[in-house]
Amino acid sequence: RSSDLTDEDQEVMAGMSAILFDVQLPPIVFFKGYMDLVSKVFANSGDPTSIVEGNVLLIDHLQGIALQSGMQTTVQFQGGLGLEISANVDVSLWDQDSKTNIKTKSGLVIDLKAEVSSPFYQADVRARTEAETTFNFNTMVKFFGAPVQICLQLWQDKLPYRKIFTIVESFPLQNVTSKMCKGRNATIPGREFPLHRANSEMCKILLHEDTQPHGQTPF
């Protein structure tokens, strides 16, 4: 960001702002001004900066349903999301480049519970789904020449998920109870999201240069 006054008044700043469920979160400033940039380069510990960390209740619904048999059923549906967003900035004055990594870790849990209760029959049905994954958004900027070279990368790590389905039935008059439980575990492979052709070509060039002996390791 720069002012519209003179070159001496121009100020360099890098930061990040995020919007979560249409709510603007407070912005995070990585550095403001050249002197602040230089001081943070030498004092950089390599640890990421936390942007957002918390849990969100997506849905909490409870409803009673009357069946044709006359029995009453209670259905409860809950869903929660755990979210952690962090960012890391690495600026090299020697190589005249900068790298940023924005990592979004998320975990989703969905619970469904249905109960049927009567003097002669009771049933409890539960279904639960759990999933978690991580999204990475990386940028590499070479600012030693004109025009500035930029590479953008977005990919998703593998997505493991689990499903659990349980049914418990009981007949109080006969003192009989049965239980059935099924589950499934699976993993969806990670993938990279292509942005556009020009960006892909630039990433090939910059990542190849970055693997040379005089460069640093890639993302």
Side-chain angles (χ1 to χ4, degrees), residues 88 90 98-102 137-141 150-153 219:
N88 191 25
D90 182 16
S98 67
K99 301 173 185 176
T100 62
N101 170 252
I102 301 175
F137 179 69
N138 289 339
T139 68
M140 174 186 286
V141 180
I150 302 177
C151 167
L152 307 177
Q153 290 181 305
F219 301 118

Side-chain angles (χ1 to χ4, degrees), residues 8-20:
E8 295 180 355
D9 296 327
Q10 289 184 353
E11 183 179 60
V12 179
M13 188 187 78
M16 172 185 171
S17 63
I19 298 177
L20 181 62

